[in-house]
Amino acid sequence: MVCPLAQQQGRCGLLGRSSRLPVVPVNVHPSFRPCQLSSRCLSLAQFIKREQQLRLIPCASAVTAPELELEKGGPGSTYADGAVAKVPVDRIRNFSIIAHIDHGKSTLADQLLLKTGTVAARDMVEQFMDSNEIERERGITIKLNTARMKYRSRRDGELYALNLIDTPGHVDFTYEVSRSLAACEGALLVVDASQGVEAQTLANVWLALENDLEVIPVLNKIDLPGADPERVIREIEDIIGLDCSNILRVSAKMGIGIEETLEAIVERVPAPQNTTGDALRALIFDSYYDPYRGVVCQFKVMDGKVSRGDVVQMMNTGKEYQLDEIGVLAPHKVQVDTLYCGEVGYLAAQIKSVQDARVGDTVTQKKQPAQTPLPGYQDIQPMVYCGLFPTDTDDYQDLREALEKLQLNDAALKFEPEVNNAMGFGFRCGFLGLLHMEIVQERLEREYNLDLITTAPTVVYRCKTTDGQEFLVNSPADLPDASRREWISEPYVRLEMVTPTDYVGNLMELANGRRGEFVEMRYLTDSRTTLVFNIPLAEVVTDYFDQLKSRSKGYASMEYKITGYRENDLVKLEVKINGEPADPLSVICHRDNAYRTGRQLTSKLKELIPRQMFRVPIQACIGTKVVASEAIAPYRKDVLAKCYGGDISRKKKLLQKQAEGKKRMKALGKVEVPQEAFMAILKIDREAKEE
């Protein structure tokens, strides 16, 4: 904007957002003298400071100076924000950090941000990349983040741009991890010097190698008294096959080896290919909903370039948008005009839902589209379902609104209304796994102040009816009658357990008791073994992880991958309370386990359901056949207490009258089932299989 006073005199022009904001003279003739007419004119240093506070990007007509080279769109220029450098493609390094849970991934990321000056020491908090409160409490990464760092190498003195692309740390989010790794050229493999190689370490390494990444091994926590670096190095070489002759020895907590890690990233992680002249293809590896900008997508430009104002198209969903804003995260948002191949940034285009900008989709320009999208895109399908019901029926609408808001940020969350006679109105929700389910439930209770009842989780089955129709079943209540079913199939997983040799027998017994099929056993080292089983997902999503830790005293770890569906002799075990079906308590189980599961379930429900004034039968049925039954005895009033003698007919009359009243009460009465009863199946599964 032009300064009104200066414009009148023809001395200079001024740049600013509005007439109320500070302004600065533009680049004019060398004989230029600062305007003396306006008290609002700023010096260059003041302008730079103000720009850093507002995160503004000046246009190309603004002042240039040796200490502030403005972005002109080509390699070698710099952003206006001093924390971010614009460098040639061959000096960009995109990398990720992969590790098992609690091996120090977030702590190492914090140290890299501090060492490069990306985050000031006064602004640093633990687990800086983990922005969610639940992530900090649990010590895991749920929602990934990115950070662009600038680093001047000691080797050649050149300035490099380092893009750290974070990854979630749980098996539920394997697809997001694969898309994040697809946006990288290298990865830091962090291994705890005291614990060694774990199951998730192996899974993440194979995922990185599938994406053809340069893997740099990092030995963390070398300062611990229990650290055994030589043993762990041998494990990495023997199990994974990585060359550890130049392994990095680091203590992220103490700040040891951070400089060497940065140098290794510069030297050993390859630069992205320079395909600036090709048609635009950008990979979306994360997206979240912003109430003011709409959906904000984090992406890497794989080919070509993208500029603010371009009209882009999502190649898999077919949606078209005009880019209102693009920029980089350093780790705060810094707007730019153009991003080139190899760069990582964000875009905002008033996208209404994350369903329209899915993780893994390819962004291209509408006027010059790419021929083929980037490989690897998948539609994320929930694998675990459960029912969510408010304890107070008046909160039903609040629960719906809360789920809709969460779905704006989480494309994997699915829900639909559900009604049952036991708990009233609620929703049937689909999740990626148990952790995803726990996180959503905790966020609903914390952020939206809801008190919820959660039913036992179930997996997604496939069913084919006698008329040839095939469909997915995510609730036992939706399963058709046995007379109409041709077959039922259930999802299977390949389960890998890494354990000390002493606990091999315990874990094999656990897997065999859960219908697991033994595949192989490998001795990783003299003291560590890998067990591989094919096992139904339904047996894993209940309490398998708890049992694994219990039987191995906490030393074993597990990782699983869904391999497909398999037909089995499955039946619907239906629970009836006082003759009424209790759909939330129904389960789909193997026929061989139906009797034990039904007997244990009815016995447990007998303890949990309170006594009534009438007899309450509890039955577990397969179709019309009752396989197990229990009964809750009624409260009894002694109606004969006032009879001290006399004819027996008088006592029989009183007892008959009481029986008729109880019969009428039973026909009209309703049994209230407590919340604990709906989670009984979780405990029953374990007890039934350990017999």
Side-chain angles (χ1 to χ4, degrees), residues 262-494:
L262 289 167
E263 286 294 327
I265 293 170
V266 169
E267 293 178 19
R268 295 160 64 179
V269 174
Q273 294 184 355
N274 192 345
T275 55
T276 309
D278 296 351
L280 171 66
R281 290 199 305 175
L283 173 67
I284 298 176
F285 57 82
D286 189 37
S287 59
Y288 65 92
Y289 185 81
D290 184 280
Y292 301 104
R293 292 184 176 93
V295 176
V296 178
C297 302
Q298 297 185 33
F299 67 97
K300 178 194 175 185
V301 183
M302 308 296 281
D303 302 311
K305 62 182 179 179
V306 61
S307 302
R308 181 170 49 195
D310 287 352
V311 178
V312 297
Q313 182 181 31
M314 308 297 174
M315 296 190 71
N316 288 291
T317 60
K319 303 289 185 178
E320 296 179 0
Y321 300 98
Q322 183 173 6
L323 299 182
D324 298 330
E325 178 184 333
I326 63 171
V328 296
L329 295 165
H332 51 267
K333 289 185 177 67
V334 182
Q335 295 184 34
V336 299
D337 288 331
T338 306
L339 289 173
Y340 291 82
C341 66
E343 291 194 291
V344 175
Y346 72 92
L347 63 86
Q350 297 300 319
I351 304 172
K352 302 301 182 185
S353 170
V354 289
Q355 303 286 345
D356 300 332
R358 293 177 178 270
V359 171
D361 207 344
T362 303
V363 181
T364 189
Q365 288 183 339
K366 182 183 178 183
K367 63 180 180 181
Q368 189 181 355
Q371 297 299 316
T372 57
L374 295 166
Y377 172 78
Q378 296 177 12
D379 279 330
I380 304 178
Q381 296 296 331
M383 293 307 299
V384 175
Y385 280 79
C386 80
L388 289 179
F389 297 86
T391 54
D392 186 352
T393 54
D394 293 339
D395 293 337
Y396 173 77
Q397 190 60 35
D398 294 338
L399 177 58
R400 176 189 286 276
E401 293 174 1
L403 285 170
E404 288 173 349
K405 290 177 181 177
L406 282 183
Q407 197 177 45
L408 290 174
N409 278 302
D410 191 349
L413 174 63
K414 311 286 185 185
F415 68 92
E416 58 184 19
E418 182 182 31
V419 183
N420 67 64
N421 52 6
M423 290 180 290
F425 293 92
F427 294 93
R428 187 78 181 168
C429 303
F431 309 94
L432 295 174
L434 279 187
L435 176 71
H436 189 206
M437 183 185 80
E438 291 175 13
I439 296 303
V440 170
Q441 181 186 355
E442 198 162 346
R443 289 190 64 184
L444 289 170
E445 291 176 346
R446 285 191 187 188
E447 299 176 16
Y448 301 96
N449 197 27
L450 294 169
D451 191 9
L452 301 174
I453 298 174
T454 308
T455 62
T458 60
V459 300
V460 181
Y461 297 89
R462 283 182 178 168
C463 177
K464 184 177 181 180
T465 56
T466 52
D467 57 0
Q469 293 184 359
E470 187 175 336
F471 54 92
L472 298 177
V473 177
N474 58 52
S475 171
D478 298 335
L479 193 66
D481 296 333
S483 59
R484 296 179 50 232
R485 294 197 304 261
E486 186 172 329
W487 50 257
I488 308 174
S489 62
E490 60 181 335
Y492 265 69
V493 298
R494 178 183 172 88

Side-chain angles (χ1 to χ4, degrees), residues 603-621:
S603 177
K604 196 71 179 179
L605 290 174
K606 181 181 178 181
E607 300 173 6
L608 295 172
I609 296 176
R611 292 175 67 184
Q612 309 292 321
M613 293 299 295
F614 50 90
R615 182 177 180 272
V616 179
I618 303 173
Q619 298 170 321
C621 311

Side-chain angles (χ1 to χ4, degrees), residues 204-224:
N204 288 332
V205 167
W206 306 144
L207 209 55
L209 294 177
E210 285 176 11
N211 286 277
D212 198 23
L213 302 189
E214 177 68 30
V215 179
I216 302 174
V218 177
L219 199 61
N220 193 23
K221 303 185 183 181
I222 59 172
D223 59 314
L224 291 181

Side-chain angles (χ1 to χ4, degrees), residues 378-669:
Q378 296 177 12
D379 279 330
I380 304 178
Q381 296 296 331
M383 293 307 299
V384 175
Y385 280 79
C386 80
L388 289 179
F389 297 86
T391 54
D392 186 352
T393 54
D394 293 339
D395 293 337
Y396 173 77
Q397 190 60 35
D398 294 338
L399 177 58
R400 176 189 286 276
E401 293 174 1
L403 285 170
E404 288 173 349
K405 290 177 181 177
L406 282 183
Q407 197 177 45
L408 290 174
N409 278 302
D410 191 349
L413 174 63
K414 311 286 185 185
F415 68 92
E416 58 184 19
E418 182 182 31
V419 183
N420 67 64
N421 52 6
M423 290 180 290
F425 293 92
F427 294 93
R428 187 78 181 168
C429 303
F431 309 94
L432 295 174
L434 279 187
L435 176 71
H436 189 206
M437 183 185 80
E438 291 175 13
I439 296 303
V440 170
Q441 181 186 355
E442 198 162 346
R443 289 190 64 184
L444 289 170
E445 291 176 346
R446 285 191 187 188
E447 299 176 16
Y448 301 96
N449 197 27
L450 294 169
D451 191 9
L452 301 174
I453 298 174
T454 308
T455 62
T458 60
V459 300
V460 181
Y461 297 89
R462 283 182 178 168
C463 177
K464 184 177 181 180
T465 56
T466 52
D467 57 0
Q469 293 184 359
E470 187 175 336
F471 54 92
L472 298 177
V473 177
N474 58 52
S475 171
D478 298 335
L479 193 66
D481 296 333
S483 59
R484 296 179 50 232
R485 294 197 304 261
E486 186 172 329
W487 50 257
I488 308 174
S489 62
E490 60 181 335
Y492 265 69
V493 298
R494 178 183 172 88
L495 175 69
E496 289 195 36
M497 299 177 284
V498 177
T499 175
T501 308
D502 297 342
Y503 306 110
V504 168
N506 291 343
L507 298 188
M508 291 189 73
E509 182 186 359
L510 172 64
N512 289 328
R514 299 294 181 96
R515 295 194 286 137
E517 298 175 358
F518 177 75
V519 177
E520 64 175 331
M521 179 171 64
R522 298 192 303 268
Y523 287 93
L524 305 178
T525 63
D526 295 340
S527 59
R528 295 176 75 80
T529 306
T530 294
L531 298 172
V532 182
F533 281 83
N534 287 329
I535 189 170
L537 178 61
E539 305 288 349
V540 177
V541 300
T542 48
D543 64 335
Y544 195 94
F545 182 75
D546 295 339
Q547 285 294 306
L548 176 94
K549 290 297 184 182
S550 175
R551 293 181 181 228
S552 66
K553 298 183 180 178
Y555 288 107
S557 57
M558 60 176 273
E559 187 78 13
Y560 62 86
K561 181 180 181 181
I562 295 174
T563 56
Y565 279 77
R566 188 186 302 182
E567 291 184 31
N568 269 328
D569 187 12
L570 303 173
V571 295
K572 176 184 176 182
L573 187 66
E574 190 176 24
V575 176
K576 294 183 178 180
I577 300 175
N578 196 28
E580 294 290 332
D583 291 337
L585 291 171
S586 300
V587 294
I588 298 175
C589 62
H590 197 275
R591 190 181 296 275
D592 294 343
N593 297 329
Y595 169 70
R596 288 182 299 172
T597 303
R599 186 166 56 83
Q600 294 285 341
L601 184 56
T602 54
S603 177
K604 196 71 179 179
L605 290 174
K606 181 181 178 181
E607 300 173 6
L608 295 172
I609 296 176
R611 292 175 67 184
Q612 309 292 321
M613 293 299 295
F614 50 90
R615 182 177 180 272
V616 179
I618 303 173
Q619 298 170 321
C621 311
I622 299 177
T624 58
K625 179 183 177 182
V626 177
V627 297
S629 178
E630 293 283 352
I632 302 175
Y635 288 118
R636 181 176 180 276
K637 180 181 178 182
D638 189 2
V639 294
L640 302 180
K642 58 185 178 181
C643 297
Y644 294 101
D647 188 24
I648 188 65
S649 59
R650 174 60 179 165
K651 296 181 181 180
K652 287 183 177 180
K653 185 177 180 181
L654 290 174
L655 292 173
Q656 185 179 1
K657 184 178 180 182
Q658 184 187 41
E660 291 174 355
K662 287 185 178 293
K663 183 178 180 181
R664 187 167 57 253
M665 188 184 297
K666 181 178 181 179
L668 301 175

Side-chain angles (χ1 to χ4, degrees), residues 151-222:
Y151 174 69
R152 192 169 296 279
S153 173
R154 295 181 303 181
R155 178 174 55 89
D156 55 13
E158 295 288 350
L159 191 65
Y160 288 83
L162 310 181
N163 290 309
L164 169 58
I165 301 176
D166 200 8
T167 57
H170 195 272
V171 65
D172 287 1
F173 309 104
T174 301
Y175 175 64
E176 284 88 341
V177 173
S178 70
R179 295 302 85 208
S180 297
L181 295 179
C184 301
E185 284 77 39
L188 298 179
L189 173 64
V190 178
V191 182
D192 192 319
S194 59
Q195 297 183 27
V197 175
E198 301 280 1
Q200 204 170 337
T201 310
L202 290 172
N204 288 332
V205 167
W206 306 144
L207 209 55
L209 294 177
E210 285 176 11
N211 286 277
D212 198 23
L213 302 189
E214 177 68 30
V215 179
I216 302 174
V218 177
L219 199 61
N220 193 23
K221 303 185 183 181
I222 59 172

